[in-house]
Amino acid sequence: MLYIISGFMRSGTSMMMRALEAGGMEAVYSAKRDADMNARWGEPDYLPNDSYYELDAEDYLRGDLEGRYDGKLVKCLWGGVLRLPPGDYRVVFMRRPAAEIRVSLLASFGDDSAARDYPDLDRAMDRVVEVLRDRKSFRSVDAVDYRDVLRDPAEMFRGLAASGWPIDPLKAASIPDPGKARFSAGRGALTHA
């Protein structure tokens, strides 16, 4: 079985990877890709992410993730998760309001073009979850709201552990930090969290 964290950019996928890793799962990712991405978008006093938890592009294209990483935790953003071949998967799909994603993209990368291709990003995320849940090879698909993880991480991780994720929920719950939620929607306006 492959354990997958998915979602759109800036939806909390890296936070979830870090938390599940702290909870005892083995995460696979490329340190080289982390360095390349921070070199591209980072500044001397700011890095968009401590770690992106992504594999190199070639790893995703090979088509044998499950065979190579059986039992491990892999981040696969939403475009890639829809292309996975049949296999045995558990998925956490991270949700975050589109307005917050767009502002976070601008703040982190100076550009929100990744979201502009999806004028109704919230509906697009709903549709991905529907498609994944319809696939027989996906053992479970848990849609998780970014704000719920920050609000009550212990409850969130207890729920994942109860549904078959092999984690220590208390250790996983120690990772989410509301102080790192750079932007949140508030009364129709976007404000710093």
Side-chain angles (χ1 to χ4, degrees):
M1 177 185 314
L2 192 61
Y3 295 89
I4 298 172
I5 302 304
S6 190
F8 197 81
M9 293 171 62
R10 311 309 298 168
S11 65
T13 53
S14 297
M15 172 192 68
M16 182 59 74
M17 289 287 291
R18 188 175 306 109
L20 293 173
E21 186 177 43
M25 295 189 75
E26 183 180 349
V28 291
Y29 55 93
S30 168
K32 179 186 178 306
R33 182 161 173 82
D34 281 351
D36 290 347
M37 291 174 78
N38 275 328
R40 179 174 176 189
W41 289 300
E43 299 172 9
D45 59 344
Y46 170 76
L47 297 176
N49 269 18
D50 299 328
S51 179
Y52 295 89
Y53 284 93
E54 294 180 23
L55 295 169
D56 293 316
E58 309 81 56
D59 285 317
Y60 295 112
L61 296 173
R62 284 181 49 182
D64 61 347
L65 283 178
E66 187 184 9
R68 283 181 292 132
Y69 302 124
D70 185 48
K72 298 194 175 42
L73 183 63
V74 174
K75 180 174 165 181
C76 188
L77 293 177
W78 73 335
V81 77
L82 290 171
R83 292 187 201 95
L84 287 174
D88 191 11
Y89 308 111
R90 285 193 187 276
V91 178
V92 164
F93 189 89
M94 295 299 297
R95 295 290 324 263
R96 188 176 187 186
E100 290 181 21
I101 287 174
R102 286 187 170 94
V103 171
S104 185
L105 284 166
L106 281 169
S108 299
F109 306 113
D111 181 7
D112 72 347
S113 61
R116 276 189 240 138
D117 292 339
Y118 305 95
D120 190 351
L121 184 55
D122 290 311
R123 177 66 190 127
M125 286 185 277
D126 289 341
R127 183 68 186 131
V128 172
V129 171
E130 290 169 14
V131 168
L132 295 178
R133 285 183 173 158
D134 282 344
R135 295 198 176 159
K136 303 274 187 268
S137 62
F138 286 75
R139 188 177 295 201
S140 66
V141 178
D142 293 292
V144 173
D145 187 278
Y146 175 77
R147 290 175 293 181
D148 289 344
V149 177
L150 295 178
R151 182 183 47 78
D152 192 347
E155 177 185 334
M156 180 63 55
F157 292 110
R158 277 194 305 270
L160 288 177
S163 73
W165 286 75
I167 57 169
D168 177 326
L170 292 178
K171 288 181 180 176
S174 71
I175 297 301
D177 177 2
K180 289 193 174 187
R182 295 179 183 97
F183 301 93
S184 61
R187 299 202 172 129
L190 291 168
T191 57
H192 285 280

